[in-house]
């Protein structure tokens, strides 16, 4: 996804979209400017921009007509509350079509079901003018939160520090329902680093009061983000180590830097063709691990600056860390001992020779290996870092790369199917993390899961020379 912007008066709101087209509505006192973006390059720069003006009344009619059209085409239109009387109509089309979000004014209504809340936090030092720093205005940082329906006590939040639309992501909503979590998001672009901890606490306090979830004050965090968001996620861990459960940075050569953040489970995902990130992370890994850092890296081979399939690994990471570290509300986080994790070898992963083992049984140098929290995450990591896999999953779909997100149910029959007709020696097995589910018959196997959870499903077999083959994992969220 790329990000464009919607301006309401002096404030700006991010809009998520897919290439090649998106419409942007900019409201001011007189007219609405409709901006047609025909192309967005890899860094989010808009190419082929055309503008026209509409009266505000016409814009409202346009939004309603477009919502009706999208419903007819099998899409959805969701009314999401914003600050005061502002409301967002989020318009979604079937896969492959553009997704648009239009901001316009409607009478305020009490939200039903899941709750979306917004607040602005005043800055001590105003932001400088810039494309990515406009959201919320130059004197404020915008925060948003999603709270799941029916959860009496919010146990924590995932936190994306640079992407406020993260609160609408269905796959993370499904994950957070499992944990009893909310989704917190902000846009810190242009904000001073030393203001961030206080801003987080101010926003959480505001959300606690508005939602009557007082436990949000001082909530525990699982930060994650891409590029600048990756760097900010690690800084949040440094600012708030006593409240950070685990960290999932993507697309930046970052990791733990101080003694406290070394104790926080952290797994950095990168594209090996994204500048020098891979090279730098390979150098950072032993430095952090020599200090006992609960740190690992996971390359997405032949990828550049792409989030891609990172969530297939980050969700199992967070799940493992939450189960070990998070106690009752108000209790401090529990430590995650280095010796209680697993280790993954990085020395031969391009030759297909990676291995995993519990910390105490690892045969190599622990200071040169990736640290992983449990057997499930380690097995998912081993499949995730597979070099040029010959085994590929046709179904079920996982997370990322435009695959449709399908929440699964306990007891649901799910067909696992291999893509094509790969040459293997013997059977092709189906695994979910460290658990063997069975063997393919006729290229497929129907599986069921008896408990809610996160299941990184992958295929495993042997080549003609006896070496192990694996597919990349597709993580299923089972409710």
């Amino acid at each position: 996804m790329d990000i464009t912007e919607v301006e309401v008066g002096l404030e700006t709101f991010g809009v998520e979209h897919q290439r090649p087209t998106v419409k942007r509505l900019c409201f001011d006192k007189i007219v609405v400017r409709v901006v047609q973006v025909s192309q967005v390059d890899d860094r989010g720069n808009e190419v082929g921009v055309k503008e026209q003006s509409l009266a505000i009344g016409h814009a409202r009619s346009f939004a309603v007509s477009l919502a009706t059209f999208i419903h007819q085409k099998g899409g959805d239109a969701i009314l999401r509350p914003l600050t005061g009387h502002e409301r967002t109509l989020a318009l979604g089309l079937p896969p492959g079509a553009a997704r648009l979000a239009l901001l316009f004014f409607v009478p305020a209504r009490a939200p039903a079901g899941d709750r979306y809340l917004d607040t602005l936090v005043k800055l001590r030092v105003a932001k400088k003018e810039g494309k990515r720093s406009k959201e919320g205005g130059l004197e404020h940082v915008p925060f948003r939160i999603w709270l799941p329906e029916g959860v009496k006590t919010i146990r924590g939040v995932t936190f994306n520090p640079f992407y406020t639309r993260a609160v609408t992501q269905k796959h993370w909503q499904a994950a957070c329902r499992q944990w009893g979590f909310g989704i917190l998001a902000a846009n810190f672009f242009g904000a001073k680093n030393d203001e961030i901890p206080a801003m987080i606490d101010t926003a959480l306090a505001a959300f606690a009061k508005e939602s009557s979830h007082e436990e949000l004050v001082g909530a525990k965090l699982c930060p994650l983000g891409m590029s600048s968001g990756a760097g900010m996620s690690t800084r949040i861990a440094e600012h708030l180590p006593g409240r950070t459960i685990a960290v999932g940075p993507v697309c930046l050569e970052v990791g733990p830097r101080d003694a406290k953040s070394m104790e926080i489970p952290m797994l950095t995902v990168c594209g090996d063709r994204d500048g020098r990130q891979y090279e730098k992370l390979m150098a950072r890994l032993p430095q952090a691990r020599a200090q006992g850092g609960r740190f690992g890296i996971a390359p997405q081979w032949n990828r550049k600056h792409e989030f891609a399939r990172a969530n297939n690994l980050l969700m199992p990471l967070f799940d493992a860390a939450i189960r070990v570290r998070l106690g009752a509300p108000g209790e401090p986080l529990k430590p995650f001992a280095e010796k209680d994790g697993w280790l993954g070898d990085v020395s031969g992963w391009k030759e297909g020779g990676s291995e995993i083992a519990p910390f105490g049984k690892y045969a190599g140098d622990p200071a040169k290996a990736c640290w992983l929290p449990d057997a499930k995450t380690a097995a998912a990591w081993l499949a995730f870092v597979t070099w040029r896999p010959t085994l590929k999953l046709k179904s079920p779909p996982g997370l990322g790369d435009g695959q449709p997100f399908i929440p699964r149910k306990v007891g649901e029959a799910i067909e696992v199917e291999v893509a094509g007709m790969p040459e293997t020696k013997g059977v092709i097995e189906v695994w979910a993390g460290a658990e063997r589910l069975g063997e393919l018959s006729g290229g497929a196997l129907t599986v069921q899961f008896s408990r809610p959870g996160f299941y990184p499903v992958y295929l495993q077999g042997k080549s003609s020379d006896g070496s192990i083959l694996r597919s990349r994992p597709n993580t299923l969220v089972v409710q």
Side-chain angles (χ1 to χ4, degrees), residues 35-56:
V35 183
Q36 179 72 36
V37 180
S38 58
Q39 186 178 348
V40 180
D41 65 21
D42 289 338
R43 294 192 176 276
N45 299 316
E46 297 169 356
V47 182
V49 176
K50 297 180 180 179
E51 296 192 16
Q52 68 179 90
S53 295
L54 294 174
I56 287 178

Side-chain angles (χ1 to χ4, degrees), residues 16 22 34 164 170 180 185 200 368 453:
E16 183 180 272
V22 69
V34 180
T164 55
K170 298 302 181 184
I200 294 172
K368 296 181 180 179

Side-chain angles (χ1 to χ4, degrees), residues 61-77:
S61 299
F62 174 82
V64 173
S65 297
L66 185 57
T68 302
F69 171 78
I70 285 174
H71 277 300
Q72 292 172 347
K73 297 297 182 181
D76 56 18

Side-chain angles (χ1 to χ4, degrees), residues 108-230:
R109 294 190 302 179
D114 296 348
R115 298 191 67 182
Y116 296 86
L117 305 175
D118 295 71
T119 193
L120 296 173
V121 177
K122 177 76 172 177
L123 286 163
R124 187 179 68 251
V125 179
K127 297 177 282 187
K128 293 182 179 179
E129 182 77 29
K131 180 179 178 181
R132 295 188 291 181
S133 61
K134 293 180 182 178
E135 186 178 5
L138 298 181
E139 295 185 354
H140 296 84
V141 165
F143 282 82
R144 292 175 175 173
I145 198 168
W146 167 87
L147 300 173
E149 180 184 17
V151 176
K152 293 182 178 180
T153 301
I154 303 297
R155 302 175 64 223
V157 294
T158 60
F159 183 25
N160 194 311
F162 279 122
Y163 186 41
T164 55
R165 289 280 293 174
V167 297
T168 66
Q169 293 175 323
K170 298 302 181 184
H171 49 290
W172 279 108
Q173 289 182 357
C176 287
R177 286 185 205 279
Q178 300 242 357
W179 301 320
F181 272 38
I183 302 175
L184 180 68
N187 183 350
F188 285 135
F189 277 114
K192 299 295 183 183
N193 185 55
D194 62 352
E195 293 196 56
I196 288 168
M199 286 192 292
I200 294 172
D201 285 343
T202 299
L204 285 171
F207 291 140
K209 183 176 180 180
E210 187 173 355
S211 67
S212 299
H213 280 287
E214 293 302 320
E215 68 276 13
L216 286 173
V217 175
K220 306 300 191 297
L221 311 167
C222 284
L224 74 155
M226 175 183 171
S227 194
S228 298

Side-chain angles (χ1 to χ4, degrees), residues 248-385:
V250 181
C251 292
L252 199 66
E253 59 277 15
V254 293
R257 299 190 303 178
D258 59 20
K260 288 295 185 181
S261 60
M262 291 288 173
E263 299 176 0
I264 299 171
M266 189 178 303
L267 183 57
T268 301
V269 181
C270 74
D272 70 314
R273 298 174 61 197
D274 191 359
R276 297 180 59 205
Q277 285 189 20
Y278 174 73
E279 175 188 343
K280 291 179 178 180
L281 283 168
M282 286 293 284
R284 180 182 287 272
L285 177 67
Q287 296 171 1
R289 288 290 304 119
Q291 300 175 65
R294 284 47 151 188
F295 179 53
I297 63 175
Q300 302 198 79
W301 302 115
N302 297 313
R303 298 278 192 164
K304 295 184 179 180
H305 202 61
E306 307 167 59
F307 197 95
R309 300 172 56 86
N311 284 330
N312 291 286
L313 201 51
L314 296 185
M315 283 188 185
L317 168 77
F318 283 0
D319 186 56
I322 289 167
R323 283 187 287 105
V324 171
R325 305 200 67 205
L326 190 59
E331 291 184 356
L333 290 175
K334 301 172 185 176
F336 204 133
E338 183 186 14
K339 65 179 179 61
D340 292 338
W342 281 58
L343 296 175
D345 174 38
V346 304
S347 63
W349 51 15
K350 288 188 178 182
E351 289 75 41
S354 295
E355 295 181 357
I356 56 173
F359 188 91
K361 297 181 179 180
Y362 185 71
D365 184 351
K368 296 181 180 179
C370 288
W371 185 92
L372 301 155
D374 64 356
K376 178 192 288 186
T377 310
W381 174 88
L382 189 61
F384 189 91
V385 301

Side-chain angles (χ1 to χ4, degrees), residues 439-475:
E439 302 172 357
L440 297 183
S441 176
L445 174 70
T446 300
V447 301
Q448 295 179 327
F449 298 98
S450 59
R451 300 183 306 277
F454 301 84
Y455 296 90
V457 174
Y458 61 94
L459 304 176
Q460 181 170 300
K462 290 185 177 181
S463 66
S464 57
D465 63 6
S467 59
I468 300 296
L469 304 173
R470 294 182 185 86
S471 73
R472 302 244 168 86
N474 283 350
T475 293

